[in-house]
Amino acid sequence: MRMTTDDRSLGLAAAGGDAAAFAALLERHYDRMFGLAYRLTGQQAEAEDLTQDICAALPSKIRAYRGDAAFGTWLYRVTVNAAHDRRRRHATHAKAAKGWGDWEVNRQAVKSEAAAAQDWMQTAMMSLPDTLRDTLALVLDDLNHAEVGAVLGISEGTVSWRVSEAKKHLRALKGKETT
Amino acid sequence: MTDDLDDLRAAMKAATPAPDTKAKGENIALARKNFATLQGSGDAARPKSNRIWTGVKTMLSPLTTRGGRGGLVASTALIAIGFIALNPQLLEFGAQPEAVTLPVNVGQEPIEMQADDQFNGAVVLEEAPPATTLATPKATSQRLNRSAEAYDWPEVRIYPQPAPRPSIVLPEGDAVATAPAMERDTEAFPDAAANPLKITSEEPVSTFSIDVDTASYAVVRNSLMSGVLPPRGAVRAEEMINYFPYAYPVPEGDVPFQPTVTVAETPWNSDTQLVHIGLQGAEITERPPLNLVFLIDTSGSMQAANKLPLLKQSFRLMLAQLRPEDEVSIVAYAGSAGQVLEPTPAGERSTILAALERLEAGGGTAGQAGLQQAYQVAEDMNAEGEVSRVILATDGDFNVGLSDPAALEDFIADKRESGTYLSVLGFGRGNLDDATMQALAQNGNGQAAYIDTLSEAQKVLVDQLTGALFSIANDVKVQVEFNPARIAEYRLIGYETRALRREDFNNDRVDAGDIGAGHTVTAIYEVTPVGSGAVMADPLRYGDAVPGDPDGEIGFLKMRYKAPDEDVSQLIETALPEASSLSGEAQFAVAIAGFAQLLRGESALLDWDYADAIAMANGAKGDDPFGYRAEAVSLMRLAQSLSE
């Protein structure tokens, strides 16, 4: 999360209506945004839909960017919120309730050995409650706990607690696997 | 166990696919197109039919350009079309809801200018003639002007659902940008622009509904206490003023409330005057038995200490205020769903407290029809001569079975007609949906209060419980007609979300706010006398002579109210008096009005600042038995240092 001042001023320019700044920012951050979307949803298709949602809404959202937070933090925040929205919608329809769902796990399982590590990851991520998974998705993105806290709007302590909870979950899962 | 995380991190790195290049290109193009559309959209709204078509195109193009998931695309698109046909005005898809945060230079420039100066050829406008891309967001600001229901749903998004309904969506990004330190993700505040200055000769009559909500003040306090200036939309002058009890002259005889009108020089502008209207509701000595149904949000987000636990404590405080003949029932939604407590006499404290203790936050699924169930319970409890009220306690997740805000309001309004009212208690910050809270309470003839501390619970649920639960005058509307020969211009401070149409004043079917027992309600106009140096608008060169009587009174106040259980309104009339000086109580109200306007950054205050507000409020604290006013002064100090 090393966002340069350059990002911030580009963000402010975009908020003020500068289309070139907006385009430059989006180019720069698209891949990371997509990466996070993938970690949050667990499926490439979902991640692409989510990224599309964000791209469609970003022009109106960026007007609210005032440079108080680093642009990357701000964008991650938008991404996490969009993922929540999406999850909530899905939950309402009781379809594809979880991104890390059975379908994906089965599909990955068929892809067999090469995906063994990924399988474990799928299962591990799937087993976590939403809040822990979101937190972990950000931690795995090499953000430190303070930065994750800024994105999620929670304290650093809460992030650390969530990470240790997540580890507990994973430990339990490993225990189950090995027995 | 860092091993686990390292494993996971490595696996995640390996698993994270590169974004699809084609999709990436398309998505970025979409974002740039939307950006261009938005930037060019500040101009005048065009005829609706055009706007719909532009909207359809904007909406469908991202959907139809995607390959690979044909089935999903097709169904989404179809539903979207059906939805448009049903409800054209919901088309502000992706429109900018925060009209007031628009950078000034954006909305006013014609798009050609921007294409030349800023876009530098980098952006190809897909919608060829600039004029066709101009419309979308303007409609949002127009909606701000709907008078009878002038609050504004923050943003409407279209979801591919079998029964398409708009949902309330938050300005997420905004939250982080303004207050990174605070837990605020999905808050939504109505963002009504301040009431504009009106020219008396053009629009001599001002009509509004009273407002007894207090939520705005508590939200402002919470923001300031966390070291952040509150979002502009969260500051509603009338709710801040009406947060405080005032000792206005009490009504005599049978009238339920007594208006007191004072006209005096404006503290922030010696060339204008303030018309201060104070309504004092009568106290009631005997009250009918009360049936309370608590509808409690037990979704996972309520877990925080300032939500469900605070709610339980507040509830305990309130229980002591109830009488043995009152009855209490609890319905929970999400988490522990359903009727948690059968209707129980308030005397059986231990039963009620035990049920309360059992409430646990958890789960994200909405309890189906939580609200319907609460109303059903309330209706079953109701007996002749009793008062029934549903009290919704939530942190903002209003997913209570009816997900369409309009249908929800209709439902509540319908129940209001049948005699069951609704009050809303907001807890915690984070996804507090202030706009919805307000709208629901307004439609349910109830109060919207925001509880952030136990002392606020004490105020709302103990000190002012009778007022909050027993209304003595319903649908109270205020109409002031100014004499154009005496008053050149006027401006109502606050009540932006409570404006009524002139003709609604006499229409008893139009709903308005209620005064509770012992409540005080204050409204303040800033008026500019004819001939004053502060008159903003020049007289018309070709206009007729200004009508009105230069020797008459400055204006006339009319109020309508309905006695509880009556359908026909009664009228109270009084002429506005000549200028004198403000009472101490009125001075405090004016100081708060000034404070609210400072927080909103309004220009009408000239160089009057926080120091002036503090001095004025300090000088008018009066008895202040509960310490509310002292607290307000310390909030002003906080705001003063935060704004420097």
Side-chain angles (χ1 to χ4, degrees), chain B residues 527-545:
Chain B
V527 300
T528 315
V530 168
S532 150
V535 174
M536 303 292 276
D538 290 334
L540 292 176
R541 179 180 169 96
Y542 305 110
D544 293 329

Side-chain angles (χ1 to χ4, degrees), chain B residues 352-421:
Chain B
I352 298 173
L353 289 177
L356 201 59
E357 277 314 311
R358 280 198 304 272
L359 287 178
E360 269 179 31
T365 335
Q368 272 301 307
L371 194 65
Q372 281 104 323
Q373 189 179 6
Y375 271 112
Q376 191 56 50
V377 172
E379 273 161 29
D380 293 346
M381 286 163 81
N382 205 4
E384 190 64 29
E386 299 184 349
V387 173
S388 293
R389 198 176 272 272
V390 173
I391 299 181
L392 171 61
T394 178
D395 65 345
D397 179 9
F398 286 99
N399 197 359
V400 282
L402 290 166
S403 55
D404 175 356
L408 190 57
E409 283 172 48
D410 287 348
F411 177 78
I412 289 168
D414 196 46
K415 293 297 178 186
R416 176 191 76 219
E417 298 305 323
S418 70
T420 307
Y421 293 171

Side-chain angles (χ1 to χ4, degrees), chain A residues 102-116 118-119 122:
Chain A
D102 296 341
W103 177 83
E104 179 69 5
V105 173
N106 291 338
R107 196 176 68 91
Q108 294 297 342
V110 173
K111 283 166 115 188
S112 71
E113 302 97 37
Q118 199 175 341
D119 242 4
Q122 297 275 3

Side-chain angles (χ1 to χ4, degrees), chain A residues 56 61 63 66 68 77 81, chain B residues 34 96 172 177-178 184:
Chain A
K61 295 207 182 304
R63 290 178 166 187
R66 295 191 195 94
D68 301 351
R77 172 76 167 157
N81 280 329
Chain B
N34 281 0
Q96 168 64 302
E172 303 103 313
T178 51
R184 272 169 47 187

